[in-house]
Amino acid sequence: MRPPAPLALLALAFLLGVVADAAGLRPPPWAPAALPLAASPPLAPLAFGAAGWLVAGAARARPARAATDRLELQGRVLNVPAAAGDRVRFTLLDRSGELLDLVAPPPAWPLAAGDLVRVPARAWPPPGPRNPGAFDQAARLEALGLGRQAEALLPPVRLAPPSPLAWLERGRQRFAEAAVALPPREAGLVRAIGTGDRGGLDAATNDSFARSGLAHVLSVSGLHLVVVAAGLERLLRGALLRLEPIASRWDARRGAALIALPVTVAYTLATGASYPVVRAAIGGAAAFAGTLLDREGSAANALGLATLAVLAVEPGSLLDPSLQLTLASVAGLVALATPIRGAIPVARPPAGSWRARLVEPILGGLAATLAASLATAPVLALQFRRLPALGILSNLAGVPIGTALTAVTALAAVAAAVAPPLATPLLWLCRPLASALLLVSDLAAAPAFAVIGVASPGPLLAGVACGAVLLLGRLTGALRWTAALVAVAAVALPGPLRQAAARLRGQLEVVSVSVGQGDATLLRLPDGEAVLVDGGGAIGPGPDPGARDLVPLLRDLGVTRLSLVVLSHPHPDHVLGLAAVARAVRIDRLVAGGGAPDEAAAAVLALLPPAERLPPGRSLALGGVLLESVGGRLEGLEENDASLVLRIVHGEAALLLPGDLEARGEAAALAGGHPLAAEVVKVPHHGSRGSSTAPFVAAVHPRLAIVSVGARNRYGFPHPEALARWRGAGATCLRTDEGAIRLLSDGHRFRQVPAGDALDVLAVLREREWR
């Protein structure tokens, strides 16, 4: 077994130090003393590991300040602004020395890294994870040195002439303007591939590429830089060799590399300088420098150098999913592509033969695709909870098309930067390529089996799985099979194990899911079955809470089937999120309340089983609990007041879910004469002022009152008067804008338990002991 390349080993040690910091471990006192060990080759990995640990800790943000309603920010733009809907997002270094993650309306002339600006804004500490296993925005920004997030009230005003890089941003803008000559989907695709501008991609296209396994083609990364920079270098080399006066006096390889180096830097900046592109640019620059210095490069060392450079400058970038994927994919290519090609029972053809020109590229592409797919699978499971079943086939067809499209869009982007009309002929050349790539993606994404839903294995198991996969090329016999089994088990077993633990626990689990300004309550019944009451939903543009919050949580918990979905009423913030849920898991039954759905709600309900009604006074027994409809007569009530009022009874414990009732609906429920008393209540209508009337509060008389509400919502929910009435009745008020709320019932009473423990198999099994 050959030892790993020295630079790759040092980069791995540095990376492990950054991982230790990301895991919450603070550097030990002896870490600074280990740095001089870098002078000793055998002990250098210890020094680099300590250095990674120290650098990551030093880069962390200071404790976040409190939220500020209004402040005047003045400082410098530190990175390439990225599109965020109709706004731009960038890092601002304020004159106070604070780094802020700022979202702002774009000014007339595009912002660029280096611009000095002033902008009125409001700021707040970044939120932690919304739900168990969810992305931790606070940890990510803290690792990047960003103490607060901010939202600008007006476009930033420049305090100095535009940065020298502004012309690159103006070029991207001109390319976007020229791309409107294409159909919308094709225009969004060429903008994303050509300049890294994803602002024109619609949700359907993003979902298609994610399901098909071609999402990496959308994000400018190493693939695109190789096409542009390495392609240019080869063209230049060939052209210089054909120029006799130059070829006789100069080394064509060095001349081409000398020109390709600045092109690599310019392309990196022009496409947004995302972490994958920066990593690829460093590796490419190392290869070009090796040509200039007449030194043979090593793929492992190039990856190590790029990893060291990126993490040394920005250790928090390790938490970025795109960088994790690019590091895993390149490591897979380095470690596995050659062994996989050697395992294919087709001999390599002689150089120059027709088979070498036609067959070998296909086999080499298959080996590379399989190597990258295997290495990135644990990261995909960790970050996105899904694996593309047809990813290998879609990449074999899609990557060549994407490669050609990258070359043409790069030329079109340069032409548009000079004069937008010059880009039109090139954009029309892009159209058939873009249409073909969309077709490949849509075909691969269409089947129901196109995506394999998995639970997130967590960072530790994902790292174990990645390590096991990368060792497959170096191991043989039983050791290779053992490593393969470890990798598969680490990715495939977490969900089923968590579901089995919940079934063995034998209690009623209630999770009030944090879905923003909406409602969603997940019930895991004593027999292990699952019920979802409402599914959240975005009102207007914005992320879909069903896809963002509910589907990842269901997959993490190992829930592959919902025995029942209950819809209190078909308002957007209760129903729209169910579309993503219906596409991800099987749903057996639907019980719906409220009135007739509008067009958007009807489209979602068409994905679900036929709706059943549960009239007041009727009940449904399921999995050891009783679901009682305890509302009043619905005649003459508005949509909110016509919500289905559901009382969940588990032995002596009860939970009341009254939908969006307001005063009239609460009065109707009281007049209905059905039992409303419950130990736990979801506060009706998100705690609006017109809800939670004194008679209704007195009738329910809960110990815990849960408010499902979005952070900094525009409605001002929950209203202080509504909260005061629940507190006056002796209830403790809990809010989902502070994170998901998880309760357990043993049939006698409810108790609140840590939400994160739902993903800890041992913690769930220990919960059996509470009665």
Side-chain angles (χ1 to χ4, degrees), residues 256-332:
L258 187 63
I259 298 173
L261 263 174
V263 171
T264 299
V265 176
Y267 182 77
T268 301
L269 294 172
T271 54
S274 64
Y275 295 127
V277 184
V278 171
R279 182 215 58 79
I282 295 171
F288 294 143
T291 300
L292 291 172
L293 299 173
D294 201 21
R295 297 287 299 274
E296 182 181 357
S298 159
N301 277 339
L303 175 61
L305 175 63
T307 303
L308 273 175
V310 171
L311 294 184
V313 173
E314 194 64 271
S317 63
L318 183 62
L319 298 182
D320 187 274
S322 61
L323 183 64
Q324 294 174 8
L325 285 170
T326 193
L327 290 178
S329 63
V330 177

Side-chain angles (χ1 to χ4, degrees), residues 510 512 521 523 533 568 644-648 655-659 680-682:
V510 178
S512 290
T521 303
L523 310 175
V533 181
S568 63
L644 173 64
V645 183
L646 198 64
R647 187 169 180 260
I648 314 295
L655 160 71
L656 187 68
L657 302 174
V680 180
V681 64
K682 184 205 72 76

Side-chain angles (χ1 to χ4, degrees), residues 38-136:
S40 169
L43 300 177
L46 291 176
F48 275 75
W53 208 341
L54 291 169
V55 167
R60 286 188 169 274
R62 297 185 295 271
R65 305 179 190 177
T68 306
D69 289 335
R70 182 73 180 252
L71 71 162
E72 192 79 12
L73 295 174
Q74 181 174 320
R76 198 168 293 279
V77 178
L78 286 191
N79 56 357
V80 178
D86 60 349
R87 300 191 167 202
V88 292
R89 169 174 257 115
F90 56 91
T91 299
L92 182 76
L93 175 61
D94 187 55
R95 56 187 167 184
S96 66
E98 181 183 10
L99 290 173
L100 296 103
D101 178 36
L102 180 63
V103 176
W109 186 268
L111 289 174
D115 278 339
L116 184 64
V117 298
R118 181 178 64 241
V119 58
R122 57 192 183 103
W124 56 87
R130 304 164 62 92
N131 297 295
F135 179 68
D136 191 343

Side-chain angles (χ1 to χ4, degrees), residues 211 385-386 448 451-454 546-547 550-552 554-555 559-562 577-587:
R211 288 175 59 85
R385 282 87 169 172
R386 57 186 181 185
V451 168
I452 303 172
V454 294
L550 289 175
V551 171
L554 292 173
R555 286 179 172 160
V559 175
T560 58
R561 180 176 69 90
L562 291 170
L578 292 175
V581 174
R583 296 187 184 101
V585 301
R586 173 183 151 193
I587 298 173

